[in-house]
């Protein structure tokens, strides 16, 4: 399976914060926002990842993440000159996907919860069509909503419905089999000229090959596309890290625990940032797991 991280868009909902910088480079507590979705792809076992962003933002993202070799993964980059819909990422990434299955994640989505890494890997291993992830929200009118029947089967998908049939918001993490690119190629653009990811998901649903995995108690999801949600996510990460003594979305630690890099490599990455608490944490983790 290949990974795609869509870090595009102009971030207009965050102005003036994003006038001069990419939204995905903003801080979520003590790490850049892009670390969080990238960590999810890594935890899912993916090692070949394409980052898609605006031409203006790509140099900064490349400077931050490089080619991924320091994490034992491969990161490549591609531009999305205009925001033409989430599904366009599948077309931009067609060569990267190369007929494989795909995990597509939005660059402003944050997931956290006990057991989530194993849930991800199980979902990848059991993929049969399309797997979406639902999270209960109190304001379903703002989201794409998935409706389940009494057997837990996905029966409808509605985009920002006026009369929602459920409170299961479809989050910005999508797992697709090898047919996703061809489905995206066959889409008709919306009135705004965008290729809608909801249309990809509905295509799988109409084929009877879409399922919604619910993220209930014990899981947290943030769509950090507004100043309020960015602040809430930062507070959440700060509390978790302070109380539990762990680091959320620590890419180097994930790489070490996943076996992508060894103890010495992790220690060296920490040593390069030894003046920061983050760097010292990496050095301690590398020592404790050695």
């Amino acid at each position: 399976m290949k990974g795609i991280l869509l870090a595009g868009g102009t971030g207009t909902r965050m102005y003036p914060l994003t006038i001069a910088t990419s939204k995905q480079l903003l801080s979520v507590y003590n790490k850049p926002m892009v670390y969080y979705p990238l960590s999810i792809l890594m935890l899912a076992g993916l090692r070949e990842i394409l980052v898609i962003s605006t031409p203006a933002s790509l140099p900064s993202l490349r400077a931050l993440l490089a080619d991924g070799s320091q994490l034992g993964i491969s990161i490549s980059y591609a531009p999305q000159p205009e925001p033409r819909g989430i599904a366009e990422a599948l077309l931009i990434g067609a060569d990267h996907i190369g007929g494989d299955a795909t995990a597509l994640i939005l660059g402003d989505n944050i997931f956290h919860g006990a057991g989530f890494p194993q849930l991800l890997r199980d979902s990848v291993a059991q993929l049969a069509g399309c797997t979406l992830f639902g999270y209960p929200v109190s304001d379903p009118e703002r989201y794409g909503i998935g409706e389940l029947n009494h057997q837990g089967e996905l029966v409808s998908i509605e985009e920002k419905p006026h009369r929602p049939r459920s409170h299961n918001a479809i989050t910005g993490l999508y797992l697709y089999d090898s047919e996703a690119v061809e489905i995206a190629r066959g889409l008709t653009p919306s009135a705004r000229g965008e290729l809608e990811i909801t249309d990809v998901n509905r295509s799988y649903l109409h084929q009877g090959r879409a399922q919604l995995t619910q993220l209930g108690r014990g899981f947290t999801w943030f769509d950090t596309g507004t100043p309020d949600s960015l602040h809430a996510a930062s507070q959440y990460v700060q509390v978790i890290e302070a109380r539990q003594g762990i680091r959320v979305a620590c890419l180097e630690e994930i790489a070490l625990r996943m076996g992508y890099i060894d103890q010495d490599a992790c220690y060296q990455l920490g040593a390069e940032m030894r003046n920061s608490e983050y760097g010292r944490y990496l050095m301690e983790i590398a020592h404790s797991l050695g």
Side-chain angles (χ1 to χ4, degrees), residues 7-205:
T10 55
T12 53
R13 290 187 298 165
M14 304 284 279
Y15 276 8
L17 285 173
T18 53
I19 290 177
T21 190
S22 166
K23 174 175 65 176
Q24 285 78 21
L25 294 174
L26 296 178
S27 168
V28 178
Y29 183 46
N30 54 4
K31 292 172 287 295
M33 184 188 296
V34 72
Y35 272 39
Y36 295 85
L38 180 55
S39 74
I40 296 303
L41 297 179
M42 292 174 63
L43 287 168
L46 278 59
R47 301 183 69 171
E48 296 178 67
I49 297 167
L50 176 67
V51 175
I52 299 174
S53 191
T54 65
S57 296
L58 282 178
S60 296
L61 289 165
R62 186 179 284 110
L64 174 67
L65 302 173
D67 64 359
S69 58
Q70 74 280 10
L71 300 171
I73 62 176
S74 173
I75 301 177
S76 54
Y77 301 85
Q80 185 185 39
E82 300 292 337
R84 297 193 182 96
I86 297 171
E88 189 188 33
L90 295 169
L91 303 185
I92 294 172
D95 289 341
H96 168 73
I97 295 168
D100 289 337
T102 313
L104 169 61
I105 191 168
L106 304 187
D108 58 3
N109 273 225
I110 295 175
F111 297 84
H112 187 255
F116 193 48
Q118 189 60 54
L119 175 63
L120 285 172
R121 291 191 285 272
D122 289 345
S123 297
V124 169
Q126 299 165 12
L127 179 65
C130 163
T131 296
L132 309 172
F133 295 86
Y135 189 82
V137 295
S138 59
D139 49 353
E141 300 85 0
R142 296 180 52 227
Y143 302 93
I145 297 297
E147 178 192 7
L148 301 175
N149 63 19
H150 294 299
Q151 289 74 44
E153 299 167 331
L154 183 63
V155 294
S156 74
I157 299 173
E158 296 181 282
E159 186 65 29
K160 298 180 180 178
H162 293 296
R163 296 181 178 179
R165 297 179 181 178
S166 84
H167 289 257
N168 290 315
I170 296 176
T171 68
L173 173 61
Y174 317 90
L175 304 183
Y176 297 119
D177 68 8
S178 59
E179 296 185 21
V181 172
E182 287 305 312
I183 291 173
R185 283 182 176 142
L187 295 181
T188 299
S190 69
R192 298 180 297 177
E194 297 184 356
L195 298 180
E196 303 288 352
I197 200 67
T198 296
D199 291 337
V200 175
N201 298 337
R202 282 177 178 154
S203 179
Y204 277 103
L205 178 61

Side-chain angles (χ1 to χ4, degrees), residues 198-220:
T198 296
D199 291 337
V200 175
N201 298 337
R202 282 177 178 154
S203 179
Y204 277 103
L205 178 61
H206 293 158
Q207 297 174 27
R209 299 194 306 120
Q211 69 172 7
L212 184 71
T213 297
Q214 292 181 285
L215 304 177
R217 291 180 181 271
F219 293 97
T220 299

Side-chain angles (χ1 to χ4, degrees), residues 204-251:
Y204 277 103
L205 178 61
H206 293 158
Q207 297 174 27
R209 299 194 306 120
Q211 69 172 7
L212 184 71
T213 297
Q214 292 181 285
L215 304 177
R217 291 180 181 271
F219 293 97
T220 299
W221 168 63
F222 292 97
D223 173 357
T224 56
T226 67
D228 284 347
S229 58
L230 179 68
H231 180 63
S234 294
Q235 287 186 310
Y236 173 83
V237 173
Q238 191 275 332
V239 169
I240 291 293
E241 294 194 353
R243 290 185 177 179
Q244 299 184 6
I246 63 172
R247 296 296 175 269
V248 178
C250 179
L251 301 181

